[in-house]
Amino acid sequence: AGSTYEVSTRDELESAIASGETDITITQVIQIGGGNPTITIQAAAGLTIRAGTSAAGFEGTPGDVYAGMLHIKNSVDVTLIGLGFTRGSETGGLGGCAWIEDSTVAFIDAHFTSCTAASDGSDGDISSNYGGAILARDGSHVTMHNSTLTGCEAAQGGGLSITGGSLDMHN
């Protein structure tokens, strides 16, 4: 563990995280949805996940209903560099691409496009939908450097919602 580790699939990424790799490079687009559920990152310190190409990152399956792309929780310290997040969708209304709890996350040169947090509508209440791209809460700290949020939607926060946490944004 600890050396640069390349992955090209969701399963390889989860395996690298579980085995304690701390420097992971994604070499292509990883599909989320269509039977590939949310990737949970927890109990990781000093983790860096970076794009190996300009097209690498995460993409939601068009028209699929799923529970977001990344759930980062339990005092994680992670840096995400150069990754694209496209069509992230969270039907429980908690961060279409990233739901962050009690963790420190830095997004560097990250790009979020067409991400949504929306309930399934079964109760008719959309007021509790937070962060079309990112929801950070419970003492989380998020840094966004040279990153973009484009076409992201939620009832609360649009592309980004920070609840009980902090945000540092700069170019």
Side-chain angles (χ1 to χ4, degrees):
S3 62
T4 299
Y5 191 85
E6 288 191 358
V7 300
S8 60
T9 68
R10 180 187 182 286
D11 290 342
E12 289 174 351
L13 176 59
E14 285 190 315
S15 178
I17 294 167
S19 68
E21 297 294 338
T22 58
D23 192 353
I24 301 170
T25 299
I26 296 175
T27 60
Q28 63 184 31
V29 173
I30 293 177
Q31 294 292 319
I32 304 292
N36 296 309
T38 303
I39 296 169
T40 299
I41 302 172
Q42 59 185 342
L47 174 62
T48 298
I49 302 174
R50 66 184 78 238
T53 69
S54 62
F58 301 94
E59 182 174 70
T61 304
D64 197 12
V65 175
Y66 57 97
M69 294 181 166
L70 302 176
H71 186 187
I72 302 169
K73 63 182 185 173
N74 299 340
S75 300
V76 167
D77 179 7
V78 63
T79 301
L80 303 165
I81 303 171
L83 296 167
F85 296 83
T86 305
R87 284 192 306 275
S89 176
E90 210 291 318
T91 56
L94 301 172
C97 295
W99 174 15
I100 304 165
E101 296 181 281
D102 186 34
S103 295
T104 299
V105 181
F107 294 97
I108 301 170
D109 298 318
H111 304 285
F112 297 86
T113 307
S114 301
C115 304
T116 60
S119 71
D120 63 9
S122 60
D123 62 4
D125 181 14
I126 63 164
S127 64
S128 62
N129 302 336
Y130 296 91
I134 300 167
L135 167 62
R137 66 183 196 181
D138 301 333
S140 293
H141 178 74
V142 174
T143 298
M144 296 191 73
H145 177 72
N146 200 34
S147 297
T148 60
L149 300 161
T150 306
C152 300
E153 300 177 346
Q156 306 288 329
L160 178 65
S161 179
I162 308 293
T163 305
S166 62
L167 172 67
D168 178 21
M169 289 184 79
H170 51 92
N171 280 334

